[in-house]
Amino acid sequence: MNLSQLLHHFKTELRDVYEEEEVKSIFSIAAEHLLQFNRSKLMLSWDIEPEPAQEASFLAIAKGLKAHRPIQYLLGEAFFYGLTFKVNESVLIPRPETEELVDWIISGHPSNPSVIDFGTGSGCIAISLKKHLKNSRVSAVDISEDALRLASENALLNHAAINFIHADLLSFRTEDKFDIIVSNPPYITGKEMAEMHQNVLAHEPHLALFVPDESPLLFYEAVADFARTNLQREGSLFFEINEYLSKEMIQMLKHKSFTTIELRKDMQGKDRMICAKF
């Protein structure tokens, strides 16, 4: 099959899973990964027939997508803040809104900060901060050994020296002080599951997604308590948050003696990020 025929195959196989424009976008991502064709080159190459092994890879990707597997897992990589990260089903796929959080942190801090990232997953936050904050010293914590193994691979891939720590953020303690404490912890309640796409529910790690309905701020409170003893005097605490719990987050942070609290919306207009200081 040539590329035009392969695209038609994708559209036919995935018509019950994705809108047509989304199928085209996904096909373009696959073509760039398998053939190193950017979108412009792809538009001029519909008559090209990939090698048999490449064609087989296209067909395998279409089959995986039909089973609701995310394209990033099928390709084994995702892009975040200009960097490439290996991903698999032990870590969340990096999201654009998390890039906005990273950009906020980078834009407001000088060089030489000490940083700790709780619930690092693929390492996308920690590694991006290490690459863009000059002379930063970055630690990253996760409870999942599989996630830390992959994050360590991503640190090597992106030439970033990170101190990875296998620990539960609910109980982690250290005497070290930090200029930046950041976390994108689990924050989706069980009540919100019905609103989620099947490719997330079936394949992304529930350990990194969900929090008990009865204690939706469980992980935020633990990180905030850590910050009360381990945040430098002029330091900043950053969170990515559940858009439906911004008022509760602000109330919780005030209760824990944070005096300067800034809430920001993401590009979709959702309450998604908070910075807190003493």
Side-chain angles (χ1 to χ4, degrees), residues 81 99-113 115 129 132-134 179-180 234-238 262 264 275 277:
Y81 214 76
E99 287 187 308
E100 295 180 58
L101 175 66
V102 167
D103 194 60
W104 187 10
I105 297 171
I106 291 171
S107 66
H109 283 84
S111 58
N112 305 311
V115 181
L129 293 178
H132 289 87
L133 290 175
K134 186 176 180 181
D179 300 299
I180 299 168
E234 300 298 323
S236 300
L237 170 63
F238 287 91
E262 182 179 356
R264 286 195 182 183
C275 176
K277 301 178 182 182

Side-chain angles (χ1 to χ4, degrees), residues 50-252:
E51 297 292 327
Q54 294 169 331
E55 179 181 322
S57 294
F58 273 107
L59 296 177
I61 288 169
K63 183 177 180 180
L65 290 167
K66 190 173 182 178
H68 299 280
R69 288 194 69 201
I71 182 66
Q72 293 88 346
Y73 289 156
L74 293 166
L75 301 181
E77 67 180 22
F79 300 100
F80 182 88
Y81 214 76
L83 302 172
T84 300
F85 290 85
K86 296 180 181 180
V87 293
N88 58 34
E89 294 184 2
S90 67
V91 301
L92 291 181
I93 297 165
R95 264 52 173 196
E97 54 266 29
T98 308
E99 287 187 308
E100 295 180 58
L101 175 66
V102 167
D103 194 60
W104 187 10
I105 297 171
I106 291 171
S107 66
H109 283 84
S111 58
N112 305 311
S114 56
V115 181
I116 189 165
D117 171 30
F118 283 102
T120 196
S122 67
C124 63
I125 292 177
I127 292 168
S128 298
L129 293 178
K130 176 65 179 178
K131 296 290 287 186
H132 289 87
L133 290 175
K134 186 176 180 181
N135 297 323
S136 55
R137 301 172 303 285
V138 181
S139 297
V141 177
D142 206 289
I143 195 172
S144 167
E145 291 185 5
D146 290 338
L148 285 176
R149 191 175 299 113
L150 190 63
S152 296
E153 292 180 19
N154 282 325
L156 288 173
L157 176 67
N158 288 289
H159 309 288
I162 308 291
N163 173 35
F164 289 108
I165 302 167
H166 179 225
D168 185 344
L169 70 81
L170 295 175
S171 57
F172 176 71
R173 299 291 182 271
T174 179
E175 294 183 1
D176 295 336
K177 303 286 186 178
F178 300 93
D179 300 299
I180 299 168
I181 297 174
V182 58
S183 185
N184 177 20
Y187 59 66
I188 299 171
T189 63
K191 298 174 184 177
E192 297 172 70
M193 290 181 69
E195 303 173 15
M196 299 180 67
H197 197 286
Q198 183 62 27
N199 64 354
V200 175
L201 284 175
H203 298 285
E204 297 201 56
H206 286 202
L207 180 67
L209 285 170
F210 296 108
V211 68
D213 286 351
E214 63 272 15
S215 52
L217 302 186
L218 173 68
F219 297 106
Y220 294 104
E221 292 193 32
V223 176
D225 285 336
F226 178 88
R228 293 177 71 180
T229 57
N230 294 83
L231 189 65
Q232 296 281 20
R233 185 183 180 92
E234 300 298 323
S236 300
L237 170 63
F238 287 91
F239 285 125
E240 181 174 324
I241 68 168
N242 186 322
E243 62 178 296
Y244 302 114
L245 297 173
S246 58
K247 292 180 180 179
E248 290 84 350
M249 283 291 301
I250 292 171
Q251 183 178 4
M252 180 272 290

Side-chain angles (χ1 to χ4, degrees), residues 15-71:
R15 60 190 171 196
D16 295 329
V17 183
Y18 296 103
E19 298 292 334
E20 183 172 327
E21 286 305 311
E22 195 167 4
V23 173
K24 291 179 182 178
S25 178
I26 290 172
F27 186 82
S28 178
I29 293 171
E32 184 165 7
H33 179 84
L34 296 173
L35 306 174
Q36 288 72 57
F37 283 11
N38 60 27
R39 191 178 294 270
S40 297
K41 186 171 182 179
L42 178 62
M43 293 301 105
L44 301 172
S45 306
W46 293 115
D47 292 334
I48 289 179
E49 295 187 4
E51 297 292 327
Q54 294 169 331
E55 179 181 322
S57 294
F58 273 107
L59 296 177
I61 288 169
K63 183 177 180 180
L65 290 167
K66 190 173 182 178
H68 299 280
R69 288 194 69 201
I71 182 66

